Amino acid sequence: MDPKPKIPRPTAKRLSRYFRELKQLVDAGRSTISSKQLGVALGLTGAQVRKDLTYFGQLGSPGVGYDVERLYLRLRQVLGRDRVWNAALVGAGNIGRALLAYDHFTVGEFHITAVFDSDERAIGVDHGGRVVQPMNRLSSFVAEHEIRIGIVAVPASAAQEVVDAMIEAGITGILNFTPRHLDVQDGVSISSVDFTLALEQLAFQVSLGLTGSLDDDPS
Amino acid sequence: MDPKPKIPRPTAKRLSRYFRELKQLVDAGRSTISSKQLGVALGLTGAQVRKDLTYFGQLGSPGVGYDVERLYLRLRQVLGRDRVWNAALVGAGNIGRALLAYDHFTVGEFHITAVFDSDERAIGVDHGGRVVQPMNRLSSFVAEHEIRIGIVAVPASAAQEVVDAMIEAGITGILNFTPRHLDVQDGVSISSVDFTLALEQLAFQVSLGLTGSLDDDPS
DNA sequence: TTTTGTGAAACGCTTCACAGCG
DNA sequence: CGCTGTGAAGCGTTTCACAAAA
């Protein structure tokens, strides 16, 4: 009930994983689950699960556990998965095209509504109904279609410039596929997908003979 | 000089970022850099940079900073970037093909040496000199070509099965592109690239009106 | 002076452990 | 009993702050 519950970062990062697991449980018709059981499925302790979930209210019943559907719906709301998210993609290269081909997401209300590119040769090409537009159309399109998410799939050297244009256009969330640290102003969120970084970290782990993942919470 | 310096996980995750920055500085002909300056470039404090770097020896000079080339070479060695890494890709779908087209990595000694797929229609197709092979060839190929890294770019439902086959074949590092938690035995490293998770976390951040990234260290 | 390397303090997250509820 | 919610303890990481080196 606090106005700003201040969710710890690690908790925020785990939320999507809870949500995925809950989705599966709902689909499987499971009615309740204990923090212990949820923890086992995700490689966490029961205490961790309980702490995380209490940030969103008293959701469980002592002696019983959590109502699967109730928890699912709460997380769906908290994560903003109960709305439609329209995204504008910039960059129609390999990664961009792979995203356009993918498109259908799990509980899917993420939509890549438009594609932009600065390369004239890419412009005009249709990708599943979305025709590649020139960059100078970005701003008006974002405004007209209430786009909130921008996906950056351009060469690293152009990334910051594209991000600046997106923010200028009114986008407040950026999904970054380039291996670059991007500066954003207050009020703009960033999430990065960097497979070269993942590969480099993997090589490091293999060099050291480590087990498991650098991201994982201790198993 | 300790036999096992026990590098903190957060430090390990930052190493590749230092390395990238150093690479750029080397290419730019820069001779020295201070921890403060390195920190600014990566969104870290100077103290953080110094703490991280001391895990690999006394590398800096008071009053001067760090010798760019020396630090670069040390990190290159620590990260295992002074060797060639051969990787086997399983899955010739959208993501797999994007990887095959990408291929050239920064200081590039990562090579996707072979591609495998279980779909007969994909087999035999050439991707930049690498012909897609059937899954039953994986084991012998890995053994013959000293492959240490396996890249999983198959549908989520097939992921664990593919991972098991890779480990069976002797692969010790797995780069996972599926949105699944994969179980691996001791001695096997995993690194995941999950853009649906990144997108979900982004939506959450936007919902909350947060600034910055969940991954970032505080700026 | 500038800047490193580093103990010590501060911080944040996880785990513990248990009161209380069903 | 089983299980949640939670204050408090424990632990790992970051930040501070300064002696020492260039």
Side-chain angles (χ1 to χ4, degrees):
Chain A
M1 272 295 143
D2 303 279
K4 283 211 167 185
K6 266 188 284 185
I7 296 147
R9 269 200 230 229
T11 297
K13 290 180 74 173
R14 282 188 292 268
L15 253 30
S16 293
R17 302 214 281 133
Y18 290 129
F19 182 69
R20 279 186 188 174
E21 188 63 29
L22 264 312
K23 173 73 167 61
Q24 286 196 305
L25 291 167
V26 166
D27 289 346
R30 177 79 173 262
S31 61
T32 63
I33 191 165
S34 70
S35 58
K36 181 100 179 288
Q37 293 168 317
L38 233 188
V40 168
L42 293 162
L44 306 169
T45 66
Q48 179 79 85
V49 172
R50 294 197 297 279
K51 259 284 196 297
D52 283 343
L53 296 181
T54 51
Y55 287 105
F56 309 103
Q58 312 259 110
L59 296 163
S61 310
V64 179
Y66 297 86
D67 182 285
V68 168
E69 183 154 9
R70 180 164 173 237
L71 187 51
Y72 170 75
L73 291 172
R74 182 77 178 103
L75 283 182
R76 196 168 82 126
Q77 176 201 20
V78 166
L79 288 169
R81 293 301 298 274
D82 53 353
R83 316 181 207 156
V84 170
W85 291 90
N86 289 322
L89 168 67
V90 175
N94 288 318
I95 293 174
R97 290 198 303 273
L99 289 172
L100 286 166
Y102 202 94
D103 212 11
H104 56 288
F105 294 99
T106 46
V107 195
E109 291 301 341
F110 288 105
H111 300 297
I112 298 178
T113 310
V115 197
F116 300 86
D117 203 301
S118 61
D119 183 350
E120 294 216 347
R121 287 164 299 180
I123 292 166
V125 177
D126 182 291
H127 296 276
R130 291 144 304 185
V131 175
V132 180
Q133 303 178 54
M135 284 301 288
N136 60 25
R137 297 277 216 84
L138 177 70
S139 184
S140 56
F141 192 96
V142 166
E144 280 164 31
H145 294 78
E146 296 189 340
I147 308 285
R148 303 171 69 184
I149 289 182
I151 304 177
V152 184
V154 299
S157 56
Q160 186 64 57
E161 174 190 347
V162 167
V163 166
D164 293 343
M166 284 177 166
I167 294 174
E168 175 72 26
I171 277 174
T172 56
I174 287 166
L175 185 62
N176 170 39
F177 280 88
T178 74
R180 262 282 215 299
H181 175 82
L182 300 173
D183 288 318
V184 295
Q185 54 195 256
D186 259 28
V188 178
S189 308
I190 276 239
S191 187
S192 289
V193 180
D194 186 343
F195 82 91
T196 63
L197 192 68
L199 188 51
E200 287 171 0
Q201 290 178 349
L202 180 64
F204 178 47
Q205 292 174 69
V206 173
S207 294
L208 260 53
L210 297 179
T211 293
S213 163
L214 246 34
D215 304 314
D216 273 356
D217 314 83
S219 59
Chain B
M1 273 294 143
D2 304 278
K4 281 210 169 187
K6 267 187 285 185
I7 297 148
R9 267 197 231 234
T11 298
K13 290 179 75 173
R14 282 188 292 268
L15 253 29
S16 293
R17 302 214 280 132
Y18 290 128
F19 181 68
R20 277 186 189 172
E21 189 63 29
L22 264 312
K23 172 72 167 64
Q24 286 196 306
L25 291 167
V26 167
D27 289 347
R30 178 79 174 263
S31 62
T32 62
I33 191 167
S34 70
S35 59
K36 180 100 179 287
Q37 293 169 317
L38 234 187
V40 168
L42 294 161
L44 307 169
T45 66
Q48 178 80 83
V49 171
R50 293 196 298 279
K51 259 276 186 333
D52 282 344
L53 296 181
T54 51
Y55 288 105
F56 309 103
Q58 313 259 111
L59 297 163
S61 308
V64 179
Y66 297 86
D67 181 285
V68 168
E69 182 154 12
R70 181 167 172 233
L71 187 52
Y72 170 75
L73 291 173
R74 182 78 178 103
L75 283 182
R76 197 168 81 126
Q77 177 201 20
V78 166
L79 289 169
R81 295 300 301 274
D82 53 352
R83 316 179 208 158
V84 170
W85 292 90
N86 289 320
L89 167 66
V90 175
N94 287 318
I95 293 173
R97 290 198 303 273
L99 290 172
L100 286 165
Y102 201 91
D103 210 11
H104 55 288
F105 295 99
T106 44
V107 195
E109 291 301 341
F110 287 106
H111 300 296
I112 298 178
T113 309
V115 198
F116 300 85
D117 203 302
S118 62
D119 183 349
E120 293 216 349
R121 287 165 298 180
I123 293 167
V125 177
D126 182 291
H127 296 275
R130 291 144 304 183
V131 175
V132 181
Q133 304 177 56
M135 284 301 287
N136 59 24
R137 296 280 215 84
L138 178 69
S139 184
S140 57
F141 191 96
V142 167
E144 281 164 31
H145 294 79
E146 295 189 337
I147 308 284
R148 302 171 70 184
I149 289 182
I151 304 177
V152 183
V154 299
S157 56
Q160 186 64 57
E161 176 189 346
V162 166
V163 166
D164 293 344
M166 284 177 166
I167 295 175
E168 175 71 27
I171 277 173
T172 57
I174 287 167
L175 185 62
N176 170 39
F177 280 89
T178 74
R180 264 279 217 299
H181 175 83
L182 300 173
D183 288 316
V184 295
Q185 52 195 258
D186 260 27
V188 178
S189 308
I190 276 241
S191 187
S192 289
V193 179
D194 186 344
F195 82 91
T196 63
L197 193 67
L199 189 50
E200 286 171 359
Q201 290 178 349
L202 180 63
F204 177 48
Q205 293 174 67
V206 173
S207 294
L208 259 55
L210 297 179
T211 293
S213 163
L214 247 32
D215 305 315
D216 271 358
D217 314 84
S219 59

